[in-house]
Amino acid sequence: RGEVPKGSAEIFFRKVKFWKGDDGEEAPPIFNVDGVNYLHVKVAGLLFVATTRVNVSPALVLELLQRIARVIKDYLGILNEDSLRKNFVLVYELLDEVIDFGYPQTTSTEVLKSFIFNEPIVVDAGRLPSLGPASMFMQGSKRMPGTAVTKSVVANEPGGRKREEVFVDIIEKISVTFSSSGYILTSEIDGTIQMKSYLTGNPEIRLALNEDLSIGRSGHSSYDYSSSAGAGMVILDDCNFHESVRLDNFDLDRTLTLVPSDGEFPVMNYRMTQEFKPPFRVNSLIEEAGAFKAEVMLKVRADFSNTITANTVALHMPLPKYTTRVSFELEPGAVGQTTDFKEGNKMLEWGLRKIVGGAEHTLRAKITFSQDTNMNITKESGPVSMTFTIPMYSASRLQ
């Protein structure tokens, strides 16, 4: 809308790169500099930013940015710095159609097709640099690299023929909180069924889910095994569907009927708080070991089948403010594990490149303090938090 200064991109980048805040080292998704609101999301290591002087709805703008990222990915096939640089003209054309004079018009890949005339320059997916353990923090929490689909919706295969294929992915975000004695306090699954279709002639697709799927908590609790539910049943708290999904037969046989639109889109989002088996068990122990010293032990056990492997696993544990030194001891023969102590926010970090189902890993650390602990060392440490990705694993048993 032409209301923000020319150098706002530079101002934003400086601010985010050298963020000095009270809590932690990361810039929040929304901040204000000299009367301009900067709203940003991280997708695949890239920052998508919107600026405005108006008091807009933050949720609306963040959703718009996520959708812009998705449309660009649909057209380029792969979303990274290299593909953006090579397709600058196409991306500019897309932005020009998505937003007009500062007002969002459409974010539908399908609708945009008739306005977009530039062809994408395809970047070879095989040559992508592997992102290392840092990548999981850059992915943004929303989209993990679950999709193997790196093809543009508009580019044809070499030889002009199109491959008839459709990809369906279940992506689940799991949050579980354990008490110090190991009991589950809260557990929730936030899931989505993603679809990306490369089928010509818009055929109708039918998608069948578990037949004993039930939606909404009925009166009795899910622990009441006398009910007909049985233990194998999947109970979703609630869900919503893409506008192209028809639910005519959903109540009868749990099938969804849809004519998929172009590009990647969520067929269904769902939320579930029914008891499920958490993929990991984490135990932590901290005890004094003489004056100004303590020992920490962290143990991770993978509670899933050994045919499945979790990757980019990271554990964090806040230590007391007066911690000065930490020395780590990994188990013998440990491969692909990293340890670090962040002086700034007194954070112990342990990274594991992968954990195979059924495996157990232990980390020991010796800690030195600058003052006496007065016996409240457990109160001032923790809680331990952990992030991970598990390909080909569905905690909710939804299929």
Side-chain angles (χ1 to χ4, degrees):
R1 298 179 194 179
E3 57 180 22
V4 298
K6 275 272 184 285
S8 50
E10 187 61 30
I11 296 169
F12 169 80
F13 187 70
R14 287 240 155 102
K15 200 81 179 150
V16 165
K17 191 146 176 59
F18 308 110
W19 182 260
K20 294 276 181 285
D22 321 323
D23 45 349
E25 309 151 13
E26 260 199 16
I30 302 169
F31 54 83
N32 184 303
V33 181
D34 299 333
V36 177
N37 298 311
Y38 293 85
L39 303 93
H40 78 279
V41 296
K42 268 188 193 169
V43 185
L46 299 166
L47 295 164
F48 290 77
V49 196
T51 56
T52 175
R53 284 187 185 277
V54 187
N55 185 12
V56 290
S57 153
L60 174 82
V61 180
L62 294 178
E63 176 66 22
L64 174 68
L65 291 171
Q66 289 279 6
R67 288 195 188 195
I68 287 175
R70 199 182 67 214
V71 166
I72 293 175
K73 179 177 183 288
D74 281 342
Y75 275 84
L76 305 190
I78 234 168
L79 187 55
N80 61 14
E81 191 172 341
D82 190 25
S83 68
L84 269 191
R85 282 182 195 280
K86 287 199 168 122
N87 288 286
F88 179 80
V89 181
L90 171 59
V91 171
Y92 205 93
E93 191 182 23
L94 282 167
L95 288 175
D96 217 20
E97 295 298 341
V98 170
I99 295 178
D100 237 347
F101 298 106
Y103 293 90
Q105 302 297 318
T106 177
T107 54
S108 152
T109 305
E110 182 121 340
V111 171
L112 287 164
K113 265 191 172 173
S114 52
F115 307 123
I116 301 297
F117 299 104
N118 280 289
E119 285 281 309
I121 297 159
V122 180
V123 178
D124 178 19
R127 289 207 331 274
L128 292 181
S130 72
L131 284 160
S135 69
M136 67 178 291
F137 302 112
M138 292 303 282
Q139 292 293 348
S141 55
K142 198 74 187 148
R143 293 261 176 288
M144 277 309 197
T147 39
V149 189
T150 52
K151 213 164 65 170
S152 163
V153 292
V154 284
N156 276 325
E157 295 280 308
R161 63 178 197 283
K162 276 190 78 167
R163 294 245 296 281
E164 295 284 333
E165 50 193 4
V166 60
F167 296 87
V168 184
D169 251 342
I170 294 186
I171 300 171
E172 296 189 329
K173 235 173 105 183
I174 311 176
S175 328
V176 184
T177 318
F178 296 104
S179 71
S180 55
S181 51
Y183 283 103
I184 297 177
L185 299 176
T186 64
S187 59
E188 176 173 76
I189 297 176
D190 193 358
T192 170
I193 300 179
Q194 287 286 109
M195 181 180 272
K196 193 161 190 179
S197 156
Y198 298 99
L199 302 174
T200 44
N202 292 5
E204 186 176 85
I205 288 184
R206 289 180 63 195
L207 206 63
L209 303 175
N210 312 37
E211 285 187 3
D212 57 2
L213 180 69
S214 115
I215 292 166
R217 286 292 181 102
S218 48
H220 48 254
S221 119
S222 54
Y223 311 114
D224 171 16
Y225 290 119
S226 60
S227 73
S228 62
M233 195 168 176
V234 179
I235 303 175
L236 306 182
D237 291 32
D238 50 55
C239 59
N240 60 22
F241 300 93
H242 190 261
E243 62 260 23
S244 65
V245 174
R246 292 209 313 283
L247 299 169
D248 309 344
N249 293 336
F250 186 64
D251 287 338
L252 291 172
D253 58 5
R254 294 298 183 224
T255 57
L256 309 171
T257 315
L258 69 155
V259 174
S261 55
D262 285 331
E264 196 174 322
F265 66 96
V267 177
M268 164 180 168
N269 300 311
Y270 57 90
R271 203 167 55 89
M272 168 174 158
T273 53
Q274 175 197 4
E275 277 277 285
F276 60 90
K277 191 174 171 193
F280 292 102
R281 286 276 169 182
V282 182
N283 298 90
S284 62
L285 188 69
I286 181 164
E287 52 190 15
E288 297 202 29
F292 303 125
K293 280 190 169 40
E295 288 195 1
V296 167
M297 192 179 91
L298 286 179
K299 195 159 89 181
V300 177
R301 192 177 82 227
D303 276 347
F304 43 86
S305 112
N306 58 7
T307 55
I308 293 171
T309 303
N311 49 37
T312 51
V313 179
L315 286 93
H316 292 83
M317 176 175 181
L319 296 174
K321 296 277 174 279
Y322 41 81
T323 306
T324 50
R325 249 187 61 232
V326 179
S327 66
F328 294 101
E329 183 191 326
L330 289 166
E331 56 207 352
V335 180
Q337 297 189 22
T338 56
T339 54
D340 195 8
F341 172 58
K342 287 274 192 291
E343 188 66 53
N345 51 0
K346 306 293 184 192
M347 184 71 78
L348 175 156
E349 297 183 354
W350 179 24
L352 299 98
R353 202 169 64 231
K354 61 178 206 209
I355 299 183
V356 180
E360 193 168 277
H361 296 285
T362 311
L363 169 75
R364 294 171 191 280
K366 293 188 166 46
I367 301 173
T368 313
F369 299 129
S370 60
Q371 64 180 67
D372 211 2
T373 58
N374 338 326
M375 298 306 288
N376 54 3
I377 163 177
T378 42
K379 282 201 178 61
E380 298 184 32
S381 317
V384 177
S385 61
M386 171 173 176
T387 52
F388 54 87
T389 312
I390 314 179
M392 309 307 290
Y393 173 83
S394 146
S396 65
R397 301 200 308 279
L398 183 73
Q399 294 177 325

